[in-house]
Amino acid sequence: MVESSLKEYLKEFQQDNLLHFNEFYESTKKSVFYNILSFIKSHETSEDILQDTYVKFLKTVKEIKHHTSILGYLIMISRNLSLDYLKKIKDSEIEDDYQVKHEDDFNQDKLLLLEKLKQILKEKEYEVIIFHIYDELTFEEISSLTNTPLGTTLYRYNNAIKKAKEVLINETY
């Protein structure tokens, strides 16, 4: 989703017009969900935090400045809520939840890959990878969403891919 479209939704929401909220939600939920899932490792809990993210977004919508990246703002809220959740529970509970909740081997592999990428990449590199691979955004769209120059976005992506290859290749040998 292009940031300009998200800004149009923001204007509506700030005027208490939620007519297009479902469209907004559908266009942004995938990015937000994968961000949460990378922290939480549980689909069910991630879905709960996803809902909390949008509730908090709507509570603070009138405070959001027009130059703010809307998707970036949602990601920030989801990250903070995920970290708050993790602070409240013990590591053993997270591991038990993860083992019980995985749907199939493919999803488990995806989760493990996301977890590994989260560990080895810088936050901004990870964000570009998620936007490009999972959300299928172009580099121009990512650049616009994150308010960074296109060259910086491309550098972060290429650097992230290089790091991921090095680590993953070394782990297989």
Side-chain angles (χ1 to χ4, degrees):
M1 165 109 335
V2 179
E3 184 70 18
S4 60
S5 299
L6 295 178
K7 298 240 187 235
E8 291 301 316
Y9 288 127
L10 178 64
K11 288 178 188 175
E12 288 180 22
F13 302 156
Q14 287 180 330
Q15 296 171 355
D16 296 322
N17 178 0
L18 300 178
L19 184 64
H20 296 108
F21 183 76
N22 283 344
E23 295 168 23
F24 171 78
Y25 176 78
E26 290 300 321
S27 66
T28 57
K29 75 175 181 179
K30 189 175 177 184
S31 299
V32 177
F33 180 77
Y34 278 115
N35 182 63
I36 296 167
L37 191 61
S38 71
F39 287 99
I40 302 302
K41 319 287 186 288
S42 161
H43 276 76
E44 187 176 302
T45 304
S46 294
E47 288 172 2
D48 290 343
I49 294 174
L50 178 70
Q51 300 309 313
D52 292 344
T53 297
Y54 285 92
V55 168
K56 187 164 186 166
F57 170 79
L58 288 175
K59 285 181 179 177
T60 61
V61 74
K62 290 188 178 185
E63 300 167 16
I64 302 171
K65 306 288 186 231
H66 290 285
H67 66 277
T68 303
S69 166
I70 307 307
L71 189 55
Y73 187 75
L74 284 167
I75 296 289
M76 180 192 66
I77 292 172
S78 69
R79 181 181 309 130
N80 290 342
L81 290 174
S82 297
L83 293 173
D84 288 346
Y85 172 80
L86 291 173
K87 287 176 188 174
K88 292 178 185 174
I89 60 173
K90 297 175 185 163
D91 288 342
S92 62
E93 291 173 331
I94 296 169
E95 190 62 33
D96 291 343
D97 195 31
Y98 173 69
Q99 293 299 326
V100 171
K101 302 289 184 201
H102 71 272
E103 294 175 2
D104 56 24
D105 289 340
F106 179 72
N107 281 340
Q108 187 176 6
D109 289 345
K110 266 173 121 172
L111 288 173
L112 291 172
L113 179 60
L114 283 172
E115 183 180 324
K116 189 66 175 173
L117 288 174
K118 188 79 172 165
Q119 291 172 0
I120 63 175
L121 299 176
K122 293 179 182 174
E123 185 177 322
K124 298 292 184 181
E125 292 170 339
Y126 179 77
E127 184 177 71
V128 171
I129 290 288
I130 294 296
F131 284 150
H132 186 65
I133 295 175
Y134 284 99
D135 299 328
E136 300 176 358
L137 296 178
T138 66
F139 293 113
E140 290 82 6
E141 290 171 326
I142 297 168
S143 178
S144 174
L145 282 174
T146 59
N147 292 324
T148 55
L150 178 60
T152 302
T153 301
L154 290 169
Y155 174 78
R156 286 177 179 159
Y157 178 79
N158 289 326
N159 203 35
I161 293 295
K162 184 188 288 185
K163 282 182 186 178
K165 281 181 182 177
E166 286 175 13
V167 169
L168 295 174
I169 288 172
N170 288 335
E171 284 186 0
T172 57
Y173 292 112

